[in-house]
Amino acid sequence: MRSTETVSQTRVVVVGNGLVGHRFVEELRERDPEHKLSITVIGDEPRFAYDRVHLSAYFDGTPAADLAVASRERYAELAIDIRLGDRAEKIDRDRRVVHTGAGFRVHYDVLVLATGSRAFVPPIANQDARG
C-alpha cells in the first residue's frame, strides 16, 4: 500500500483488522480529510476485514467476496498502509514501536488495539472436555 506519511503527520497504528478496526480507520480518515494522520493497520489474518458475524453464511454458499467489508482498493483510496498476515508480537511502549512477527518495527504516536474479543463460555461442568 502507498503511504502519504510526512514528517508532520501523526502516526496512528491500529492492531487488528476486524470489523471494529476497519470501521475505526474509515471513520478516522473521514475526520482527517487533509491527511494529517499516517494510518497503518496490522492484521494477523491474510485477508482484509470481513463480516465475521455472518461467516456461517459462507458454509451455505455465500461467496467470501460477499462477506468482505474492506478491499485493497478502498485502503489505497483512504491512503491507509495495511500489513496483512503479520501478527503484532510485542509493543514497546517506551519507544512507541510495535514489533511484528515478520520482523518489522512500526513506530507510532497513537496506538489502537482493536483485536476483537473471545466468546463467553458459561461455567458449565465439563465444558472443556473433549468431544
Side-chain angles (χ1 to χ4, degrees), residues 14-26 41 49 75 114:
V14 177
V15 176
N17 183 43
L19 288 173
V20 172
H22 171 68
R23 183 66 192 121
F24 175 78
V25 296
E26 278 196 322
V41 175
Y75 275 64

PDB file of all heavy atoms in Angstrom, residues 14-26 41 49 75 114:
ATOM      1  N   VAL A  14      -3.045   0.806  14.125  1.00  0.00           N
ATOM      2  CA  VAL A  14      -4.186   0.034  14.608  1.00  0.00           C
ATOM      3  C   VAL A  14      -3.821  -1.436  14.517  1.00  0.00           C
ATOM      4  O   VAL A  14      -3.505  -1.932  13.429  1.00  0.00           O
ATOM      5  CB  VAL A  14      -5.460   0.321  13.777  1.00  0.00           C
ATOM      6  CG1 VAL A  14      -6.612  -0.534  14.255  1.00  0.00           C
ATOM      7  CG2 VAL A  14      -5.806   1.809  13.848  1.00  0.00           C
ATOM      8  N   VAL A  15      -3.823  -2.119  15.650  1.00  0.00           N
ATOM      9  CA  VAL A  15      -3.563  -3.555  15.679  1.00  0.00           C
ATOM     10  C   VAL A  15      -4.918  -4.250  15.678  1.00  0.00           C
ATOM     11  O   VAL A  15      -5.686  -4.119  16.624  1.00  0.00           O
ATOM     12  CB  VAL A  15      -2.734  -3.957  16.914  1.00  0.00           C
ATOM     13  CG1 VAL A  15      -2.566  -5.473  16.965  1.00  0.00           C
ATOM     14  CG2 VAL A  15      -1.381  -3.258  16.898  1.00  0.00           C
ATOM     15  N   GLY A  16      -5.204  -4.932  14.583  1.00  0.00           N
ATOM     16  CA  GLY A  16      -6.475  -5.623  14.429  1.00  0.00           C
ATOM     17  C   GLY A  16      -7.173  -5.183  13.161  1.00  0.00           C
ATOM     18  O   GLY A  16      -7.282  -3.988  12.886  1.00  0.00           O
ATOM     19  N   ASN A  17      -7.590  -6.155  12.361  1.00  0.00           N
ATOM     20  CA  ASN A  17      -8.211  -5.855  11.079  1.00  0.00           C
ATOM     21  C   ASN A  17      -9.592  -6.498  10.982  1.00  0.00           C
ATOM     22  O   ASN A  17      -9.987  -7.002   9.952  1.00  0.00           O
ATOM     23  CB  ASN A  17      -7.298  -6.347   9.941  1.00  0.00           C
ATOM     24  CG  ASN A  17      -7.846  -5.996   8.587  1.00  0.00           C
ATOM     25  OD1 ASN A  17      -8.329  -4.892   8.369  1.00  0.00           O
ATOM     26  ND2 ASN A  17      -7.799  -6.921   7.656  1.00  0.00           N
ATOM     27  N   GLY A  18     -10.330  -6.472  12.091  1.00  0.00           N
ATOM     28  CA  GLY A  18     -11.701  -6.976  12.075  1.00  0.00           C
ATOM     29  C   GLY A  18     -12.664  -5.839  11.769  1.00  0.00           C
ATOM     30  O   GLY A  18     -12.270  -4.761  11.309  1.00  0.00           O
ATOM     31  N   LEU A  19     -13.931  -6.078  12.021  1.00  0.00           N
ATOM     32  CA  LEU A  19     -14.957  -5.074  11.736  1.00  0.00           C
ATOM     33  C   LEU A  19     -14.725  -3.769  12.500  1.00  0.00           C
ATOM     34  O   LEU A  19     -14.851  -2.687  11.938  1.00  0.00           O
ATOM     35  CB  LEU A  19     -16.344  -5.627  12.078  1.00  0.00           C
ATOM     36  CG  LEU A  19     -16.883  -6.696  11.145  1.00  0.00           C
ATOM     37  CD1 LEU A  19     -18.179  -7.284  11.694  1.00  0.00           C
ATOM     38  CD2 LEU A  19     -17.112  -6.138   9.760  1.00  0.00           C
ATOM     39  N   VAL A  20     -14.380  -3.876  13.769  1.00  0.00           N
ATOM     40  CA  VAL A  20     -14.188  -2.674  14.580  1.00  0.00           C
ATOM     41  C   VAL A  20     -12.968  -1.891  14.113  1.00  0.00           C
ATOM     42  O   VAL A  20     -13.021  -0.670  13.946  1.00  0.00           O
ATOM     43  CB  VAL A  20     -14.084  -3.027  16.079  1.00  0.00           C
ATOM     44  CG1 VAL A  20     -13.695  -1.815  16.904  1.00  0.00           C
ATOM     45  CG2 VAL A  20     -15.395  -3.599  16.570  1.00  0.00           C
ATOM     46  N   GLY A  21     -11.854  -2.585  13.892  1.00  0.00           N
ATOM     47  CA  GLY A  21     -10.648  -1.908  13.419  1.00  0.00           C
ATOM     48  C   GLY A  21     -10.877  -1.241  12.077  1.00  0.00           C
ATOM     49  O   GLY A  21     -10.459  -0.104  11.844  1.00  0.00           O
ATOM     50  N   HIS A  22     -11.562  -1.946  11.181  1.00  0.00           N
ATOM     51  CA  HIS A  22     -11.842  -1.390   9.851  1.00  0.00           C
ATOM     52  C   HIS A  22     -12.727  -0.152   9.941  1.00  0.00           C
ATOM     53  O   HIS A  22     -12.445   0.874   9.338  1.00  0.00           O
ATOM     54  CB  HIS A  22     -12.503  -2.440   8.966  1.00  0.00           C
ATOM     55  CG  HIS A  22     -13.012  -1.873   7.689  1.00  0.00           C
ATOM     56  ND1 HIS A  22     -12.178  -1.399   6.695  1.00  0.00           N
ATOM     57  CD2 HIS A  22     -14.280  -1.641   7.269  1.00  0.00           C
ATOM     58  CE1 HIS A  22     -12.920  -0.925   5.704  1.00  0.00           C
ATOM     59  NE2 HIS A  22     -14.189  -1.058   6.028  1.00  0.00           N
ATOM     60  N   ARG A  23     -13.804  -0.256  10.692  1.00  0.00           N
ATOM     61  CA  ARG A  23     -14.713   0.892  10.824  1.00  0.00           C
ATOM     62  C   ARG A  23     -14.010   2.072  11.471  1.00  0.00           C
ATOM     63  O   ARG A  23     -14.226   3.220  11.118  1.00  0.00           O
ATOM     64  CB  ARG A  23     -15.957   0.491  11.624  1.00  0.00           C
ATOM     65  CG  ARG A  23     -16.955   1.597  11.733  1.00  0.00           C
ATOM     66  CD  ARG A  23     -17.551   1.950  10.348  1.00  0.00           C
ATOM     67  NE  ARG A  23     -18.272   3.183  10.436  1.00  0.00           N
ATOM     68  CZ  ARG A  23     -18.008   4.275   9.716  1.00  0.00           C
ATOM     69  NH1 ARG A  23     -17.053   4.265   8.822  1.00  0.00           N
ATOM     70  NH2 ARG A  23     -18.694   5.367   9.874  1.00  0.00           N
ATOM     71  N   PHE A  24     -13.138   1.779  12.435  1.00  0.00           N
ATOM     72  CA  PHE A  24     -12.380   2.831  13.106  1.00  0.00           C
ATOM     73  C   PHE A  24     -11.514   3.614  12.116  1.00  0.00           C
ATOM     74  O   PHE A  24     -11.532   4.831  12.103  1.00  0.00           O
ATOM     75  CB  PHE A  24     -11.515   2.252  14.228  1.00  0.00           C
ATOM     76  CG  PHE A  24     -10.621   3.278  14.858  1.00  0.00           C
ATOM     77  CD1 PHE A  24     -11.126   4.186  15.771  1.00  0.00           C
ATOM     78  CD2 PHE A  24      -9.279   3.344  14.514  1.00  0.00           C
ATOM     79  CE1 PHE A  24     -10.307   5.150  16.341  1.00  0.00           C
ATOM     80  CE2 PHE A  24      -8.449   4.300  15.076  1.00  0.00           C
ATOM     81  CZ  PHE A  24      -8.964   5.203  15.993  1.00  0.00           C
ATOM     82  N   VAL A  25     -10.752   2.896  11.273  1.00  0.00           N
ATOM     83  CA  VAL A  25      -9.863   3.615  10.359  1.00  0.00           C
ATOM     84  C   VAL A  25     -10.639   4.372   9.283  1.00  0.00           C
ATOM     85  O   VAL A  25     -10.218   5.448   8.848  1.00  0.00           O
ATOM     86  CB  VAL A  25      -8.777   2.707   9.730  1.00  0.00           C
ATOM     87  CG1 VAL A  25      -7.843   2.170  10.814  1.00  0.00           C
ATOM     88  CG2 VAL A  25      -9.350   1.594   8.897  1.00  0.00           C
ATOM     89  N   GLU A  26     -11.774   3.830   8.859  1.00  0.00           N
ATOM     90  CA  GLU A  26     -12.604   4.569   7.899  1.00  0.00           C
ATOM     91  C   GLU A  26     -13.107   5.870   8.520  1.00  0.00           C
ATOM     92  O   GLU A  26     -13.020   6.931   7.902  1.00  0.00           O
ATOM     93  CB  GLU A  26     -13.802   3.732   7.447  1.00  0.00           C
ATOM     94  CG  GLU A  26     -13.498   2.757   6.357  1.00  0.00           C
ATOM     95  CD  GLU A  26     -14.755   2.250   5.679  1.00  0.00           C
ATOM     96  OE1 GLU A  26     -15.772   2.035   6.371  1.00  0.00           O
ATOM     97  OE2 GLU A  26     -14.707   2.079   4.454  1.00  0.00           O
ATOM     98  N   VAL A  41      -2.461  -0.271   9.559  1.00  0.00           N
ATOM     99  CA  VAL A  41      -3.228  -1.348  10.179  1.00  0.00           C
ATOM    100  C   VAL A  41      -2.389  -2.617  10.114  1.00  0.00           C
ATOM    101  O   VAL A  41      -1.853  -2.960   9.059  1.00  0.00           O
ATOM    102  CB  VAL A  41      -4.576  -1.570   9.447  1.00  0.00           C
ATOM    103  CG1 VAL A  41      -5.311  -2.776  10.026  1.00  0.00           C
ATOM    104  CG2 VAL A  41      -5.438  -0.319   9.526  1.00  0.00           C
ATOM    105  N   ALA A  49     -10.548  -7.182   6.206  1.00  0.00           N
ATOM    106  CA  ALA A  49     -11.658  -7.335   7.147  1.00  0.00           C
ATOM    107  C   ALA A  49     -12.886  -7.912   6.453  1.00  0.00           C
ATOM    108  O   ALA A  49     -13.191  -7.577   5.305  1.00  0.00           O
ATOM    109  CB  ALA A  49     -11.998  -5.983   7.768  1.00  0.00           C
ATOM    110  N   TYR A  75      -8.528   0.705   0.804  1.00  0.00           N
ATOM    111  CA  TYR A  75      -7.447   1.165   1.676  1.00  0.00           C
ATOM    112  C   TYR A  75      -6.497   2.090   0.904  1.00  0.00           C
ATOM    113  O   TYR A  75      -5.994   3.066   1.455  1.00  0.00           O
ATOM    114  CB  TYR A  75      -6.705  -0.015   2.290  1.00  0.00           C
ATOM    115  CG  TYR A  75      -7.373  -0.521   3.553  1.00  0.00           C
ATOM    116  CD1 TYR A  75      -8.652  -1.062   3.513  1.00  0.00           C
ATOM    117  CD2 TYR A  75      -6.743  -0.433   4.780  1.00  0.00           C
ATOM    118  CE1 TYR A  75      -9.278  -1.512   4.659  1.00  0.00           C
ATOM    119  CE2 TYR A  75      -7.360  -0.883   5.944  1.00  0.00           C
ATOM    120  CZ  TYR A  75      -8.632  -1.415   5.870  1.00  0.00           C
ATOM    121  OH  TYR A  75      -9.255  -1.850   7.020  1.00  0.00           O
ATOM    122  N   ALA A 114      -7.433  -3.071  18.485  1.00  0.00           N
ATOM    123  CA  ALA A 114      -8.769  -3.478  18.051  1.00  0.00           C
ATOM    124  C   ALA A 114      -8.707  -4.958  17.700  1.00  0.00           C
ATOM    125  O   ALA A 114      -8.982  -5.363  16.577  1.00  0.00           O
ATOM    126  CB  ALA A 114      -9.218  -2.639  16.860  1.00  0.00           C
TER     127      ALA A 114
END
